[in-house]
Amino acid sequence: MNLQDEIIALELDLLKPEVRRSPSELNRLISDDFLEFGGSGKSFGKQEVLKRLPQESPPEFSSRDFQLRPLSDNIVQLIYKATMLKAGAAQISYSLRSSLWQHNGDHWQMLFHQGTLCPPFDKE
């Protein structure tokens, strides 16, 4: 598996309901100094994610148009588009997403994530 495929797989793991419900999996995939700027405009760190995600009803995600940008020997940025349907919601939300992944010597962990809400994507 090449680096882009590996990082995409890790990113998609964080969107899976079974991973989002697992504090141990979240702990493995998210760096201790993680920071997120959410689509809500709020920011949070790893401890908030570990508390919140396992309690949430996981949304349904669809992702596309992945681009990997190496930033250094051990940090890469993944950019992509995502749709999300929250449990019980009638409206799909669209976002442009960016994640920074850092190799900590043993494995890759998400260091930063931002989801910016945007208009619906063009059909392809």
Side-chain angles (χ1 to χ4, degrees):
M1 177 180 307
N2 68 32
L3 179 58
Q4 178 167 317
D5 291 342
E6 181 180 2
I7 297 299
I8 291 170
L10 291 169
E11 185 85 28
L12 293 176
D13 280 349
L14 282 168
L15 301 180
K16 293 178 181 175
E18 62 272 21
V19 172
R20 295 172 77 86
R21 288 186 190 112
S22 170
S24 64
E25 280 298 296
L26 293 170
N27 189 54
R28 181 181 66 84
L29 290 168
I30 296 173
S31 173
D32 287 344
D33 53 352
F34 172 79
L35 177 64
E36 178 170 349
F37 296 151
S40 65
K42 296 179 181 175
S43 64
F44 18 84
K46 182 174 184 172
Q47 293 310 310
E48 290 91 353
V49 170
L50 290 175
K51 277 186 198 174
R52 191 185 84 240
L53 285 188
Q55 306 303 316
E56 280 184 352
S57 294
E60 292 179 34
F61 288 99
S62 174
S63 305
R64 67 181 217 197
D65 299 341
F66 293 96
Q67 297 174 28
L68 187 73
R69 299 178 60 220
L71 301 178
S72 73
D73 289 342
N74 67 333
I75 297 178
V76 297
Q77 179 183 33
L78 186 65
I79 300 168
Y80 63 102
K81 296 176 181 175
T83 61
M84 179 175 68
L85 179 61
K86 290 186 177 181
Q91 189 82 18
I92 293 175
S93 65
Y94 296 80
S95 60
L96 301 175
R97 293 177 167 233
S98 173
S99 298
L100 296 180
W101 287 86
Q102 181 176 35
H103 197 273
N104 66 10
D106 293 325
H107 59 279
W108 290 96
Q109 289 186 305
M110 186 181 282
L111 183 64
F112 174 81
H113 180 76
Q114 180 170 355
T116 303
L117 297 175
C118 66
F121 308 129
D122 294 331
K123 304 267 187 219
E124 290 184 7

